Amino acid sequence: MKTEKNIYEKIVEIDNIKKAIWNASKGKRQRKKVKIIINNMDYYSEQLQKMLLKKEYVPNEYEKMKIHDGVRKKVRVIYKPKFYPDQCIHWCLMQQIEKLISRGMYDYCCGSVKNRGISHGMKYLKKVLVRDRKNTKYCLKLDIKKFYPNINKEILKKKFRRIIADRNTLDLIDLIVDSVEKGVPIGNYTSQWFANFYLQNLDHYIKEQLKIPYYVRYMDDMVLFHRNKKKLHQIRKDIEQYLQKEDLKLKENWQLFKVDSRPLDFLGYRFYRGYTTLRRSNFLRIKRRIKKISKKRSINYTDASAVFSYNGWLKHCDSFNFRQKYIKPYINMNKCKGVIKNESRKRFKAK
């Protein structure tokens, strides 16, 4: 595998730093501390450059926050890094190494990758379920146990040393990796890339050695299809053995089922042959939120954005009747569009 050199000199270029500050500030530009940095871009870019050149950067302590995520209300610890310098430095790094990580990435690794999100995985699953019934007869659904906290930092560092031969860049990666005691922190911009990179070899193992015809991964959630049920049972065991080398374990709640006997619940949707519906819990959440919004005298920017987000989710599946019954009578989409346009104008003028 080809290793890249001379990356750090690109990381510390002033244009790369300014771009990183601007990208890191997306969605945060109304905050006072972020505004100060954006309004004094030249000064803060130079300070960041000096910090990186002199290798004086030390990651700040994270602000930790517990959330209850998903339908099952899993408790997750979210790590919030400081905007400056931490988030800005994360962007400085990723803007230069993203292409190296992407180079060996599997086409249907769909989590937190630009132009390869949920819709990318959806289109692929819809297509293969209709076009190849024979090789999608059975589905194996897997999930890795506490993936982010269980990533082995030493193994991750070794993986980076196979593609990067720049000591300064590796030192910066090590600093970020070692900024928490265990695993990689959920909340860092770098973490989603590091996590996908950690499983890159697994993707190639599944496709190239196990010869799985159809396979999609969304972060640590995986679905594999095959014509032979016994073969999929063996493949699950092979994946378990492979993950032991990566210091990871599969969750015990793996599922193997006949696709024609039940829908595939994945990426927030339920996939049947020929049509797709939204997961029931998501339908209920949207229905409740729309009712709450409809009772308000006026729609604010947050509500309008939520409506458009929900509409996007529904457009990707067979939900015409749901939209006609639970959204169209209660929400005026043109009003929502107007609210978003007005808010966008205000924010643009405030820059």
Side-chain angles (χ1 to χ4, degrees):
M1 190 182 285
K2 187 184 173 184
T3 55
E4 289 288 329
K5 299 176 182 178
N6 307 319
I7 301 167
Y8 202 71
E9 60 191 42
K10 294 173 187 174
I11 290 170
V12 299
E13 280 177 3
I14 206 76
D15 287 343
N16 184 59
I17 292 168
K18 284 181 178 178
K19 186 182 174 184
I21 292 172
W22 188 250
N23 283 331
S25 70
K26 284 176 185 174
K28 311 179 189 91
R29 289 171 196 156
Q30 300 306 306
R31 298 179 193 175
K32 283 183 182 178
K33 288 180 181 178
V34 177
K35 268 185 181 178
I36 291 166
I37 291 158
I38 294 294
N39 293 334
N40 298 278
M41 180 76 85
D42 290 339
Y43 171 77
Y44 283 102
S45 298
E46 285 170 14
Q47 292 302 305
L48 212 56
Q49 188 184 49
K50 285 176 189 173
M51 193 187 295
L52 289 167
L53 285 169
K54 291 179 180 178
K55 300 189 83 172
E56 292 173 345
Y57 170 61
V58 178
N60 288 290
E61 198 172 321
Y62 292 94
E63 183 188 331
K64 294 178 188 177
M65 183 175 68
K66 278 188 180 181
I67 63 161
H68 293 86
D69 186 35
V71 184
R72 294 175 185 85
K73 302 294 178 187
K74 294 178 191 171
V75 177
R76 296 191 193 275
V77 178
I78 303 296
Y79 293 76
K80 293 174 75 177
K82 285 189 176 180
F83 172 74
Y84 187 92
D86 301 279
Q87 290 183 39
C88 299
I89 285 175
H90 295 169
W91 274 89
C92 284
L93 172 68
M94 289 314 307
Q95 282 169 183
Q96 296 306 320
I97 70 164
E98 184 183 312
K99 60 182 178 289
L100 302 181
I101 293 173
S102 300
R103 196 163 59 190
M105 192 175 279
Y106 172 56
D107 288 342
Y108 296 100
C109 160
C110 302
S112 305
V113 182
K114 193 178 178 182
N115 301 322
R116 288 200 213 171
I118 288 171
S119 61
H120 180 66
M122 273 191 78
K123 284 175 190 173
Y124 180 67
L125 286 172
K126 284 179 181 180
K127 184 174 76 176
V128 302
L129 286 171
V130 171
R131 289 187 183 178
D132 196 348
R133 295 178 74 96
K134 188 178 180 181
N135 286 309
T136 57
K137 187 177 180 181
Y138 294 100
C139 175
L140 175 63
K141 194 178 172 200
L142 305 169
D143 188 4
I144 294 172
K145 198 171 189 176
K146 294 182 179 177
F147 176 48
Y148 275 83
N150 283 333
I151 287 175
N152 185 308
K153 294 195 285 186
E154 295 311 311
I155 293 174
L156 178 60
K157 289 176 190 177
K158 282 177 187 175
K159 286 177 186 285
F160 274 115
R161 277 150 180 78
R162 289 185 200 130
I163 63 165
I164 296 170
D166 183 331
R167 184 70 260 167
N168 290 330
T169 303
L170 289 170
D171 286 344
L172 181 58
I173 290 169
D174 289 354
L175 265 178
I176 295 166
V177 169
D178 291 331
S179 62
V180 288
E181 285 182 20
K182 194 181 177 189
V184 297
I186 300 172
N188 270 7
Y189 175 58
T190 53
S191 293
Q192 57 203 32
W193 284 99
F194 288 4
N196 272 325
F197 179 59
Y198 197 85
L199 293 180
Q200 207 172 91
N201 292 339
L202 172 67
D203 294 336
H204 290 285
Y205 173 71
I206 289 170
K207 284 299 292 179
E208 293 159 21
Q209 293 189 45
L210 298 181
K211 308 287 185 187
I212 286 294
Y214 303 113
Y215 161 62
V216 179
R217 178 169 66 80
Y218 187 85
M219 295 315 294
D220 61 315
D221 290 322
M222 297 168 269
V223 289
L224 301 85
F225 298 94
H226 205 280
R227 68 179 81 176
N228 190 308
K229 191 176 181 180
K230 284 182 182 177
K231 179 80 173 170
L232 278 178
H233 274 295
Q234 183 56 50
I235 282 163
R236 177 187 60 80
K237 290 172 185 173
D238 292 338
I239 291 169
E240 276 183 332
Q241 284 183 347
Y242 186 91
L243 286 174
Q244 282 177 10
K245 299 172 194 172
E246 304 286 320
D247 203 17
L248 294 170
K249 288 180 182 177
L250 286 176
K251 275 188 189 171
E252 295 80 9
N253 65 347
W254 58 271
Q255 298 168 34
L256 203 169
F257 56 92
K258 199 173 182 179
V259 172
D260 288 335
S261 66
R262 54 175 272 203
L264 165 62
D265 193 326
F266 190 59
L267 303 173
Y269 294 90
R270 287 160 67 84
F271 295 89
Y272 300 80
R273 294 196 192 273
Y275 70 100
T276 308
T277 63
L278 200 62
R279 187 181 284 158
R280 181 173 168 75
S281 58
N282 291 340
F283 266 128
L284 292 171
R285 191 172 72 247
I286 292 170
K287 188 177 162 184
R288 289 185 196 115
R289 182 75 187 273
I290 293 295
K291 278 194 174 180
K292 278 184 184 178
I293 293 169
S294 68
K295 288 174 185 176
K296 294 181 180 181
R297 289 184 180 180
S298 60
I299 294 177
N300 59 35
Y301 176 74
T302 305
D303 290 336
S305 298
V307 169
F308 266 84
S309 176
Y310 294 150
N311 197 48
W313 271 83
L314 292 163
K315 273 184 177 178
H316 283 102
C317 64
D318 299 276
S319 59
F320 177 79
N321 291 336
F322 181 87
R323 279 186 279 161
Q324 291 295 107
K325 189 174 179 180
Y326 296 110
I327 293 182
K328 205 172 179 182
Y330 302 101
I331 299 292
N332 185 323
M333 295 302 288
N334 288 328
K335 269 189 183 180
C336 291
K337 201 179 284 184
V339 169
I340 291 168
K341 274 186 180 178
N342 288 336
E343 184 63 28
S344 299
R345 281 195 204 106
K346 284 178 193 174
R347 291 185 181 189
F348 184 76
K349 285 176 185 176
K351 284 177 189 177

